[in-house]
């Protein structure tokens, strides 16, 4: 497939590399800031532009990996007839692309992607399309870049995006709060690395609720009280600690 990528951020970069690595060809990168477009295009060895008006109309697939808000602006500047166009967002309806082409859909990577990192074919892709033919096209293309391709409606994708935010973004925020606490209290956050790993590995084979540990699930009021007293100088962390403790206690 000949692919145009619109966007030059995390998803555009990771998808672009996977596309080129798997026998397709990225033929153009378009991004609002032309220097960002150039940087990704140089890596993918293709032309670039800073304007949707200059889109290469000879591609087979157009992947739009821009911020969610920018997707709603796209139809003002962009029309490609019947070419396949896909967005990569978890919480945006596929119909956002309906005025751009008659064949549109979604290829949503269910993974936390950072352009600085290398990824292989193990990123789950949730796909969708506006017709059975389009879904088949998207699925066939997606299977060439990922071992895990699943069809998901707008509603299913939105629900999985909510779950993704909870398991990834929220846990990462908790790590950030814990790291800040450790730094201020002069203890080594890095000592927690095996615990972080074990917690993530364990839930691959067990239901998380069944392997919950800690003072809240044991109803250990004495320890909880000690922790809360230590957190008196950390109002934000104390608030989160209390809310999560309450949630764990409710089972
Ligand atoms: N990162 C993830 O883990 C992840 C995972 C799954 C899905 N997604 C979804 O993939 C999409 C892209 O995410 P990302 O992480 O790649 O974002 P990102 O790294 O922040 O990149 C955002 C891109 O959107 C462009 N952009 C921003 N505002 C724009 C505007 N008003 N008009 C035109 N272009 C604009 C930027 O272009 P310039 O740089 O040229 O300004 C940049 O290329 C989002 O829908 C996101 O929800 C992200």
């Amino acid at each position: 497939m000949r692919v145009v990528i619109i966007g030059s951020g995390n998803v555009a970069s990771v998808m672009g590399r996977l596309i080129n690595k798997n026998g397709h060809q990225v033929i153009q990168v378009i991004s609002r800031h032309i220097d960002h477009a150039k940087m990704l295009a140089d890596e993918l060895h293709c032309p670039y532009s800073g304007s949707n008006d200059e889109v290469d109309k000879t591609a087979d697939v157009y992947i739009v990996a821009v911020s969610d808000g920018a997707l709603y602006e796209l139809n003002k500047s962009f029309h490609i007839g019947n070419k396949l166009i896909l967005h990569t967002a978890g919480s945006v309806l596929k119909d956002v692309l309906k005025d751009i082409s008659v064949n549109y859909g979604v290829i949503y990577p269910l993974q936390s992607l950072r352009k600085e990192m290398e990824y292989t074919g193990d990123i789950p892709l949730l796909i969708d399309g506006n017709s059975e033919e389009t879904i088949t096209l998207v699925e066939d293309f997606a299977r060439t870049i990922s071992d895990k391709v699943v069809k998901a409606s707008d509603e299913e994708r939105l629900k999985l995006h909510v779950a993704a935010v909870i398991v990834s973004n929220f846990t990462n925020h908790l790590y950030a709060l814990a790291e800040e606490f450790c730094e201020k209290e002069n203890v080594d956050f890095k000592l927690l690395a095996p615990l972080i790993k074990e917690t993530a590995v364990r839930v691959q084979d067990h239901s998380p609720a069944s392997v919950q540990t800690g003072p809240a699930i044991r109803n250990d009021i004495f320890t909880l009280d000690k922790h809360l007293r230590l957190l008196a100088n950390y109002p934000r962390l104390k608030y989160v600690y209390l809310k999560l403790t309450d949630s764990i206690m409710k089972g």
Side-chain angles (χ1 to χ4, degrees), residues 2 27 39 59 103 112 132 148 183 190 197 230 233:
R2 288 157 52 79
I27 61 162
M39 203 180 297
N103 291 310
S112 170
E132 283 310 315
K148 184 104 187 131
E183 274 168 11
K190 287 204 169 62
K197 199 169 181 179
L230 181 56
N233 295 330

Side-chain angles (χ1 to χ4, degrees), residues 22 37 39 41 58 62-63 104 119 201 225 244:
N22 287 287
M39 203 180 297
T58 68
Y62 295 77
I63 296 181
Y104 58 91
Y119 298 87
V201 167
D225 186 53
L244 290 179

Side-chain angles (χ1 to χ4, degrees), residues 8-11 31-33 36 66-68 70 88-89 109 111-113:
S8 57
N10 293 304
V11 174
S31 200
R32 178 178 56 165
H33 290 102
H36 295 176
V66 295
S67 59
D68 293 7
T88 62
Q111 180 57 278
S112 170
L113 300 179

